[in-house]
Amino acid sequence: MSDYKTDFLHEAKEFVEIMNQCFLRLEKGEKSAIDEIFRAAHTLKGMAGFMGYKNLENLCHKLESVLGKFRDREVGEDIVDILLLSVDKISEMLCKIENDNCDEVDCRLIFEKLYEIEEERVEKEVENANLKIEIKIAENCQMMGVRGLLILETLRNICEIKATEPEENKIEDGCAFFTVYARGNVKAVDEALSGVSEIEKYSIRELNEDKKFLEISEMENRTELREEIREEKRDFISRKSEDVRVDVRVLDTIMNLIGELVIIKSRLLQIASKHNIQELSEAINIMDKSITNLQDEVMKVRMVKVERIFNKFPRMVRDLAKRLGKRVEFTMEGLDTELDRTVLDKMSDPIMHLLRNAVDHGIESPKERIMIGKSEIGKIKLSARREKSNVVIEIEDDGKGLDLEEIRKKAIEKGLISENSNLSEEEIKMLIFIPGFSTKDVPTEISGRGIGMDVVKTTVEKLGGSLKIVSEKGKGTRIKINLPPTVAIIKSLLVLVNDQVYAIPISNVVEAVYVDENNWKKIHGSPFLFVRDNLIPAFKISEIFGCEDGSGRKVGIIVEKESEKFALIVDSILDQQEIVVKPLTGFLSKVKGFSGVTILGDGTVVPIIDISSLLGGDKFG
Amino acid sequence: MQTMRGETVQVIVFKLGDERYGVDISQVREIIRPSLITRIPNAPDFVEGVINLRGQITTIVNLRKRFGLLPKAIDNDTRIIVVEYNNAVIGMMVDTVNEVKYLSQKDIEALPSIITAREEAKFLKGVGKLPDGLLILIDLNKVLNEGEVEKIK
């Protein structure tokens, strides 16, 4: 609900803004503006009605009907004044809604004014009258009609009454608000009226040829009101500044600039240490602190709550379950968990695929569930939480779980693996992420075409994350997605291969070992690294990249990809550093094995190795 | 039409082997000497690698290799013409950059399709006639378009 309210307020404020601008245009004689105001007021009315803000709805309704009268007539300055006042009232209401969640604002005055214009009572030309006196009798007045007549009598003594609104006999019946057109002296009228008790307020206007008018008490009253509104508006503006909408591209640009700063900083550090300049080092250290702070702040700005995309899932799961004739209880946890906006936006579709799968493949039909002794209602849980520096998103269901035998059979049938291939349980589970894999014989509308799951895997890996399936047949499935909170700046290992530096993201690295005769094994021509009784397939980076093999003792970097370990053989490890990822463009955007490049402190460009595309493709071949 | 004919274009004249080429100056951002080029393994063979051009990653295309000529080692005369193409910054490595020439439209002759249809001539836009000889105008759209690269493969 709170979400809707924020959205409502956002939009309502925009409409108020539109109305403000349009009224000003209207004042300048632009007739088309009235249609725009009309639309804005109408939409706002609808929104307010939907949200249950009666007062606001009423005011908008009134505004709308008043505007209807002016579609084909000149709109004077004073009318626009009143209309603007009502717009101010609307923003006052919005303020109130924002703070106290209610729209109870005193708007009797504005309603009266609007009523007046609607009834075309304003500026009614009365012959020979030079004064327009508006009088409001106190609400608690005992005999309103009598009081009204008394007032008229008083006025008659000092000036000539030309006409009254409404008619005199109506005033006699009791009318809290009436207008008198008269000929006389302003001062005298003012003096006379100020002496009458039970008048809540009154205003006297001089009707001149040029229609300039003088307002006395009402003027004061109105200024006060304006002042009040303005004041409220002021803190309304200051509150608004806490919630500025920023184009995500602007944030990206700022992030890039900070990236540049980080690069320049390490460059300066190198210079300082090279020339051994103490003072410079100190200055750089201070700068470093500021840059780190700046970076953290921008990172924070980029962070959004997972709620933003999670909120659309309950409806989706509900609709889907209904269509499939299943009963599902869907729960979400950790909605406050924050994730980089880019990461989150990219995860939206994958999570949707996984949830669809859970409903379609995971949860059994109610009949089946009762038969196997489960509760009729299946449970699906979507949760997010922070784990160390990463964010974990989990999708869990208590459905039938993965049938490993079935998956294996399907994979062989579809020619994804050979009949005698020996895969571990882990590997079999990962098969469901291969393009073209589906255990459902007849694809349903929702899932089962074998697309989707591979998209999930590639998206997660592209974001530098990993994916794990825990499943037990008959009990349920849990898919755990591990994501780095941000993608722009990553920690990485700098390695040397044939005098060229490469960066390997730390998130992929498990450990590093020296390579010697004891652990370097060749089995049937393929090299392996023997680490703590485990045989790990090894790849020489120099071979993959087709360059000369460097000399000296080699280092094996053990990396993890889809819960499988590989060893990358490099010449040496240089450093561990935070690097800024810069994408490769143009001709190089399709080059396999790299997620981008980075610039080191000394200005050299270093390619960043992308483990999954580097070793991808030949895994199940 | 008369005014069109009278318009002049400024071209940067560079050399690959003995041949003179020209590229419209409005497309050129700057001309630099080659700095440290980082090779990107698995890249198309005419891509030399990337350089750091004041913080901007710039892909370097070896124009000799792109045009199917024999490669030549980098020497003192080697220059990189940096152009902006499709929002990306790309450097074209050439043997040497000679001069800037003014070329009036009437001195530019489009190549007949019988020539441009040929594989080795498809990067060419036209021929400029100068007092001291002919100048081949290259078509950046063709030289630097990724789609074109796909076709080669």
Side-chain angles (χ1 to χ4, degrees), chain A residues 235-250:
Chain A
D235 37 280
F236 157 89
I237 287 163
S238 64
R239 263 199 303 282
K240 206 172 162 190
S241 67
E242 283 165 24
D243 182 29
V244 181
R245 281 203 266 184
V246 179
D247 193 327
V248 76
R249 277 170 300 184
V250 176

mmCIF file with all atom_site columns, all heavy atoms in Angstrom, chain A residues 235-250:
data_model
loop_
_atom_site.group_PDB
_atom_site.id
_atom_site.type_symbol
_atom_site.label_atom_id
_atom_site.label_alt_id
_atom_site.label_comp_id
_atom_site.label_asym_id
_atom_site.label_entity_id
_atom_site.label_seq_id
_atom_site.pdbx_PDB_ins_code
_atom_site.Cartn_x
_atom_site.Cartn_y
_atom_site.Cartn_z
_atom_site.occupancy
_atom_site.B_iso_or_equiv
_atom_site.pdbx_formal_charge
_atom_site.auth_seq_id
_atom_site.auth_comp_id
_atom_site.auth_asym_id
_atom_site.auth_atom_id
_atom_site.pdbx_PDB_model_num
ATOM 1   N N   . ASP A 1 235 ? 8.580  23.533 3.009   1.00 0.00 ? 235 ASP A N   1
ATOM 2   C CA  . ASP A 1 235 ? 9.127  22.269 3.516   1.00 0.00 ? 235 ASP A CA  1
ATOM 3   C C   . ASP A 1 235 ? 8.687  21.085 2.674   1.00 0.00 ? 235 ASP A C   1
ATOM 4   O O   . ASP A 1 235 ? 9.309  20.050 2.698   1.00 0.00 ? 235 ASP A O   1
ATOM 5   C CB  . ASP A 1 235 ? 8.912  22.029 5.027   1.00 0.00 ? 235 ASP A CB  1
ATOM 6   C CG  . ASP A 1 235 ? 7.605  22.517 5.559   1.00 0.00 ? 235 ASP A CG  1
ATOM 7   O OD1 . ASP A 1 235 ? 7.536  23.723 5.797   1.00 0.00 ? 235 ASP A OD1 1
ATOM 8   O OD2 . ASP A 1 235 ? 6.699  21.693 5.721   1.00 0.00 ? 235 ASP A OD2 1
ATOM 9   N N   . PHE A 1 236 ? 7.671  21.326 1.909   1.00 0.00 ? 236 PHE A N   1
ATOM 10  C CA  . PHE A 1 236 ? 7.255  20.293 0.968   1.00 0.00 ? 236 PHE A CA  1
ATOM 11  C C   . PHE A 1 236 ? 8.333  20.141 -0.105  1.00 0.00 ? 236 PHE A C   1
ATOM 12  O O   . PHE A 1 236 ? 8.719  19.057 -0.484  1.00 0.00 ? 236 PHE A O   1
ATOM 13  C CB  . PHE A 1 236 ? 5.905  20.752 0.413   1.00 0.00 ? 236 PHE A CB  1
ATOM 14  C CG  . PHE A 1 236 ? 5.475  20.220 -0.912  1.00 0.00 ? 236 PHE A CG  1
ATOM 15  C CD1 . PHE A 1 236 ? 4.766  19.048 -0.981  1.00 0.00 ? 236 PHE A CD1 1
ATOM 16  C CD2 . PHE A 1 236 ? 5.731  20.929 -2.070  1.00 0.00 ? 236 PHE A CD2 1
ATOM 17  C CE1 . PHE A 1 236 ? 4.310  18.598 -2.197  1.00 0.00 ? 236 PHE A CE1 1
ATOM 18  C CE2 . PHE A 1 236 ? 5.282  20.473 -3.270  1.00 0.00 ? 236 PHE A CE2 1
ATOM 19  C CZ  . PHE A 1 236 ? 4.568  19.301 -3.343  1.00 0.00 ? 236 PHE A CZ  1
ATOM 20  N N   . ILE A 1 237 ? 8.904  21.275 -0.496  1.00 0.00 ? 237 ILE A N   1
ATOM 21  C CA  . ILE A 1 237 ? 9.983  21.222 -1.483  1.00 0.00 ? 237 ILE A CA  1
ATOM 22  C C   . ILE A 1 237 ? 11.226 20.579 -0.878  1.00 0.00 ? 237 ILE A C   1
ATOM 23  O O   . ILE A 1 237 ? 11.861 19.734 -1.471  1.00 0.00 ? 237 ILE A O   1
ATOM 24  C CB  . ILE A 1 237 ? 10.304 22.638 -2.015  1.00 0.00 ? 237 ILE A CB  1
ATOM 25  C CG1 . ILE A 1 237 ? 9.183  23.080 -2.949  1.00 0.00 ? 237 ILE A CG1 1
ATOM 26  C CG2 . ILE A 1 237 ? 11.635 22.675 -2.731  1.00 0.00 ? 237 ILE A CG2 1
ATOM 27  C CD1 . ILE A 1 237 ? 9.162  24.562 -3.226  1.00 0.00 ? 237 ILE A CD1 1
ATOM 28  N N   . SER A 1 238 ? 11.520 20.953 0.361   1.00 0.00 ? 238 SER A N   1
ATOM 29  C CA  . SER A 1 238 ? 12.729 20.411 0.958   1.00 0.00 ? 238 SER A CA  1
ATOM 30  C C   . SER A 1 238 ? 12.587 18.910 1.180   1.00 0.00 ? 238 SER A C   1
ATOM 31  O O   . SER A 1 238 ? 13.539 18.153 1.073   1.00 0.00 ? 238 SER A O   1
ATOM 32  C CB  . SER A 1 238 ? 13.044 21.124 2.273   1.00 0.00 ? 238 SER A CB  1
ATOM 33  O OG  . SER A 1 238 ? 12.018 20.880 3.193   1.00 0.00 ? 238 SER A OG  1
ATOM 34  N N   . ARG A 1 239 ? 11.353 18.493 1.464   1.00 0.00 ? 239 ARG A N   1
ATOM 35  C CA  . ARG A 1 239 ? 11.160 17.057 1.637   1.00 0.00 ? 239 ARG A CA  1
ATOM 36  C C   . ARG A 1 239 ? 11.339 16.348 0.305   1.00 0.00 ? 239 ARG A C   1
ATOM 37  O O   . ARG A 1 239 ? 11.900 15.298 0.218   1.00 0.00 ? 239 ARG A O   1
ATOM 38  C CB  . ARG A 1 239 ? 9.765  16.794 2.176   1.00 0.00 ? 239 ARG A CB  1
ATOM 39  C CG  . ARG A 1 239 ? 9.714  16.617 3.659   1.00 0.00 ? 239 ARG A CG  1
ATOM 40  C CD  . ARG A 1 239 ? 8.455  15.916 4.061   1.00 0.00 ? 239 ARG A CD  1
ATOM 41  N NE  . ARG A 1 239 ? 7.278  16.618 3.604   1.00 0.00 ? 239 ARG A NE  1
ATOM 42  C CZ  . ARG A 1 239 ? 6.787  17.705 4.193   1.00 0.00 ? 239 ARG A CZ  1
ATOM 43  N NH1 . ARG A 1 239 ? 7.390  18.206 5.245   1.00 0.00 ? 239 ARG A NH1 1
ATOM 44  N NH2 . ARG A 1 239 ? 5.705  18.290 3.734   1.00 0.00 ? 239 ARG A NH2 1
ATOM 45  N N   . LYS A 1 240 ? 10.839 17.014 -0.710  1.00 0.00 ? 240 LYS A N   1
ATOM 46  C CA  . LYS A 1 240 ? 10.894 16.425 -2.037  1.00 0.00 ? 240 LYS A CA  1
ATOM 47  C C   . LYS A 1 240 ? 12.343 16.165 -2.454  1.00 0.00 ? 240 LYS A C   1
ATOM 48  O O   . LYS A 1 240 ? 12.643 15.202 -3.126  1.00 0.00 ? 240 LYS A O   1
ATOM 49  C CB  . LYS A 1 240 ? 10.250 17.379 -3.029  1.00 0.00 ? 240 LYS A CB  1
ATOM 50  C CG  . LYS A 1 240 ? 9.691  16.679 -4.245  1.00 0.00 ? 240 LYS A CG  1
ATOM 51  C CD  . LYS A 1 240 ? 8.909  17.676 -5.062  1.00 0.00 ? 240 LYS A CD  1
ATOM 52  C CE  . LYS A 1 240 ? 8.695  17.218 -6.466  1.00 0.00 ? 240 LYS A CE  1
ATOM 53  N NZ  . LYS A 1 240 ? 8.155  18.291 -7.277  1.00 0.00 ? 240 LYS A NZ  1
ATOM 54  N N   . SER A 1 241 ? 13.240 17.038 -1.999  1.00 0.00 ? 241 SER A N   1
ATOM 55  C CA  . SER A 1 241 ? 14.619 16.907 -2.435  1.00 0.00 ? 241 SER A CA  1
ATOM 56  C C   . SER A 1 241 ? 15.278 15.659 -1.865  1.00 0.00 ? 241 SER A C   1
ATOM 57  O O   . SER A 1 241 ? 16.333 15.246 -2.298  1.00 0.00 ? 241 SER A O   1
ATOM 58  C CB  . SER A 1 241 ? 15.409 18.143 -2.035  1.00 0.00 ? 241 SER A CB  1
ATOM 59  O OG  . SER A 1 241 ? 15.511 18.182 -0.639  1.00 0.00 ? 241 SER A OG  1
ATOM 60  N N   . GLU A 1 242 ? 14.627 15.057 -0.878  1.00 0.00 ? 242 GLU A N   1
ATOM 61  C CA  . GLU A 1 242 ? 15.191 13.814 -0.359  1.00 0.00 ? 242 GLU A CA  1
ATOM 62  C C   . GLU A 1 242 ? 14.917 12.659 -1.315  1.00 0.00 ? 242 GLU A C   1
ATOM 63  O O   . GLU A 1 242 ? 15.471 11.591 -1.191  1.00 0.00 ? 242 GLU A O   1
ATOM 64  C CB  . GLU A 1 242 ? 14.554 13.486 0.999   1.00 0.00 ? 242 GLU A CB  1
ATOM 65  C CG  . GLU A 1 242 ? 15.097 14.318 2.123   1.00 0.00 ? 242 GLU A CG  1
ATOM 66  C CD  . GLU A 1 242 ? 14.215 14.224 3.339   1.00 0.00 ? 242 GLU A CD  1
ATOM 67  O OE1 . GLU A 1 242 ? 13.492 13.224 3.469   1.00 0.00 ? 242 GLU A OE1 1
ATOM 68  O OE2 . GLU A 1 242 ? 14.249 15.146 4.156   1.00 0.00 ? 242 GLU A OE2 1
ATOM 69  N N   . ASP A 1 243 ? 14.033 12.938 -2.235  1.00 0.00 ? 243 ASP A N   1
ATOM 70  C CA  . ASP A 1 243 ? 13.587 11.866 -3.098  1.00 0.00 ? 243 ASP A CA  1
ATOM 71  C C   . ASP A 1 243 ? 13.637 12.343 -4.543  1.00 0.00 ? 243 ASP A C   1
ATOM 72  O O   . ASP A 1 243 ? 12.623 12.646 -5.148  1.00 0.00 ? 243 ASP A O   1
ATOM 73  C CB  . ASP A 1 243 ? 12.153 11.492 -2.682  1.00 0.00 ? 243 ASP A CB  1
ATOM 74  C CG  . ASP A 1 243 ? 11.611 10.351 -3.497  1.00 0.00 ? 243 ASP A CG  1
ATOM 75  O OD1 . ASP A 1 243 ? 12.427 9.535  -3.946  1.00 0.00 ? 243 ASP A OD1 1
ATOM 76  O OD2 . ASP A 1 243 ? 10.391 10.297 -3.684  1.00 0.00 ? 243 ASP A OD2 1
ATOM 77  N N   . VAL A 1 244 ? 14.838 12.435 -5.069  1.00 0.00 ? 244 VAL A N   1
ATOM 78  C CA  . VAL A 1 244 ? 14.990 12.944 -6.426  1.00 0.00 ? 244 VAL A CA  1
ATOM 79  C C   . VAL A 1 244 ? 15.086 11.769 -7.379  1.00 0.00 ? 244 VAL A C   1
ATOM 80  O O   . VAL A 1 244 ? 15.797 10.805 -7.117  1.00 0.00 ? 244 VAL A O   1
ATOM 81  C CB  . VAL A 1 244 ? 16.266 13.801 -6.539  1.00 0.00 ? 244 VAL A CB  1
ATOM 82  C CG1 . VAL A 1 244 ? 16.403 14.353 -7.940  1.00 0.00 ? 244 VAL A CG1 1
ATOM 83  C CG2 . VAL A 1 244 ? 16.234 14.907 -5.526  1.00 0.00 ? 244 VAL A CG2 1
ATOM 84  N N   . ARG A 1 245 ? 14.361 11.862 -8.470  1.00 0.00 ? 245 ARG A N   1
ATOM 85  C CA  . ARG A 1 245 ? 14.464 10.797 -9.450  1.00 0.00 ? 245 ARG A CA  1
ATOM 86  C C   . ARG A 1 245 ? 15.614 11.106 -10.402 1.00 0.00 ? 245 ARG A C   1
ATOM 87  O O   . ARG A 1 245 ? 15.690 12.187 -10.964 1.00 0.00 ? 245 ARG A O   1
ATOM 88  C CB  . ARG A 1 245 ? 13.158 10.687 -10.223 1.00 0.00 ? 245 ARG A CB  1
ATOM 89  C CG  . ARG A 1 245 ? 12.121 9.932  -9.413  1.00 0.00 ? 245 ARG A CG  1
ATOM 90  C CD  . ARG A 1 245 ? 11.100 9.343  -10.314 1.00 0.00 ? 245 ARG A CD  1
ATOM 91  N NE  . ARG A 1 245 ? 9.979  10.258 -10.423 1.00 0.00 ? 245 ARG A NE  1
ATOM 92  C CZ  . ARG A 1 245 ? 8.874  9.965  -11.114 1.00 0.00 ? 245 ARG A CZ  1
ATOM 93  N NH1 . ARG A 1 245 ? 8.793  8.822  -11.743 1.00 0.00 ? 245 ARG A NH1 1
ATOM 94  N NH2 . ARG A 1 245 ? 7.892  10.822 -11.182 1.00 0.00 ? 245 ARG A NH2 1
ATOM 95  N N   . VAL A 1 246 ? 16.516 10.171 -10.545 1.00 0.00 ? 246 VAL A N   1
ATOM 96  C CA  . VAL A 1 246 ? 17.694 10.396 -11.368 1.00 0.00 ? 246 VAL A CA  1
ATOM 97  C C   . VAL A 1 246 ? 17.749 9.326  -12.453 1.00 0.00 ? 246 VAL A C   1
ATOM 98  O O   . VAL A 1 246 ? 17.491 8.154  -12.205 1.00 0.00 ? 246 VAL A O   1
ATOM 99  C CB  . VAL A 1 246 ? 18.979 10.314 -10.511 1.00 0.00 ? 246 VAL A CB  1
ATOM 100 C CG1 . VAL A 1 246 ? 20.202 10.515 -11.359 1.00 0.00 ? 246 VAL A CG1 1
ATOM 101 C CG2 . VAL A 1 246 ? 18.937 11.344 -9.401  1.00 0.00 ? 246 VAL A CG2 1
ATOM 102 N N   . ASP A 1 247 ? 18.063 9.770  -13.628 1.00 0.00 ? 247 ASP A N   1
ATOM 103 C CA  . ASP A 1 247 ? 18.254 8.834  -14.726 1.00 0.00 ? 247 ASP A CA  1
ATOM 104 C C   . ASP A 1 247 ? 19.439 7.933  -14.387 1.00 0.00 ? 247 ASP A C   1
ATOM 105 O O   . ASP A 1 247 ? 20.489 8.410  -13.974 1.00 0.00 ? 247 ASP A O   1
ATOM 106 C CB  . ASP A 1 247 ? 18.557 9.624  -15.999 1.00 0.00 ? 247 ASP A CB  1
ATOM 107 C CG  . ASP A 1 247 ? 18.457 8.759  -17.227 1.00 0.00 ? 247 ASP A CG  1
ATOM 108 O OD1 . ASP A 1 247 ? 18.778 7.561  -17.113 1.00 0.00 ? 247 ASP A OD1 1
ATOM 109 O OD2 . ASP A 1 247 ? 18.059 9.271  -18.276 1.00 0.00 ? 247 ASP A OD2 1
ATOM 110 N N   . VAL A 1 248 ? 19.253 6.643  -14.557 1.00 0.00 ? 248 VAL A N   1
ATOM 111 C CA  . VAL A 1 248 ? 20.308 5.708  -14.169 1.00 0.00 ? 248 VAL A CA  1
ATOM 112 C C   . VAL A 1 248 ? 21.563 5.921  -15.010 1.00 0.00 ? 248 VAL A C   1
ATOM 113 O O   . VAL A 1 248 ? 22.677 5.655  -14.584 1.00 0.00 ? 248 VAL A O   1
ATOM 114 C CB  . VAL A 1 248 ? 19.802 4.245  -14.243 1.00 0.00 ? 248 VAL A CB  1
ATOM 115 C CG1 . VAL A 1 248 ? 19.719 3.745  -15.664 1.00 0.00 ? 248 VAL A CG1 1
ATOM 116 C CG2 . VAL A 1 248 ? 20.689 3.337  -13.408 1.00 0.00 ? 248 VAL A CG2 1
ATOM 117 N N   . ARG A 1 249 ? 21.387 6.502  -16.192 1.00 0.00 ? 249 ARG A N   1
ATOM 118 C CA  . ARG A 1 249 ? 22.561 6.753  -17.036 1.00 0.00 ? 249 ARG A CA  1
ATOM 119 C C   . ARG A 1 249 ? 23.480 7.803  -16.426 1.00 0.00 ? 249 ARG A C   1
ATOM 120 O O   . ARG A 1 249 ? 24.690 7.748  -16.557 1.00 0.00 ? 249 ARG A O   1
ATOM 121 C CB  . ARG A 1 249 ? 22.124 7.194  -18.432 1.00 0.00 ? 249 ARG A CB  1
ATOM 122 C CG  . ARG A 1 249 ? 21.776 6.015  -19.321 1.00 0.00 ? 249 ARG A CG  1
ATOM 123 C CD  . ARG A 1 249 ? 21.131 6.491  -20.575 1.00 0.00 ? 249 ARG A CD  1
ATOM 124 N NE  . ARG A 1 249 ? 19.905 7.231  -20.252 1.00 0.00 ? 249 ARG A NE  1
ATOM 125 C CZ  . ARG A 1 249 ? 19.076 7.702  -21.161 1.00 0.00 ? 249 ARG A CZ  1
ATOM 126 N NH1 . ARG A 1 249 ? 19.339 7.556  -22.425 1.00 0.00 ? 249 ARG A NH1 1
ATOM 127 N NH2 . ARG A 1 249 ? 17.989 8.338  -20.806 1.00 0.00 ? 249 ARG A NH2 1
ATOM 128 N N   . VAL A 1 250 ? 22.854 8.767  -15.719 1.00 0.00 ? 250 VAL A N   1
ATOM 129 C CA  . VAL A 1 250 ? 23.658 9.790  -15.055 1.00 0.00 ? 250 VAL A CA  1
ATOM 130 C C   . VAL A 1 250 ? 24.527 9.127  -13.999 1.00 0.00 ? 250 VAL A C   1
ATOM 131 O O   . VAL A 1 250 ? 25.716 9.426  -13.862 1.00 0.00 ? 250 VAL A O   1
ATOM 132 C CB  . VAL A 1 250 ? 22.742 10.856 -14.415 1.00 0.00 ? 250 VAL A CB  1
ATOM 133 C CG1 . VAL A 1 250 ? 23.574 11.864 -13.651 1.00 0.00 ? 250 VAL A CG1 1
ATOM 134 C CG2 . VAL A 1 250 ? 21.902 11.532 -15.471 1.00 0.00 ? 250 VAL A CG2 1
#
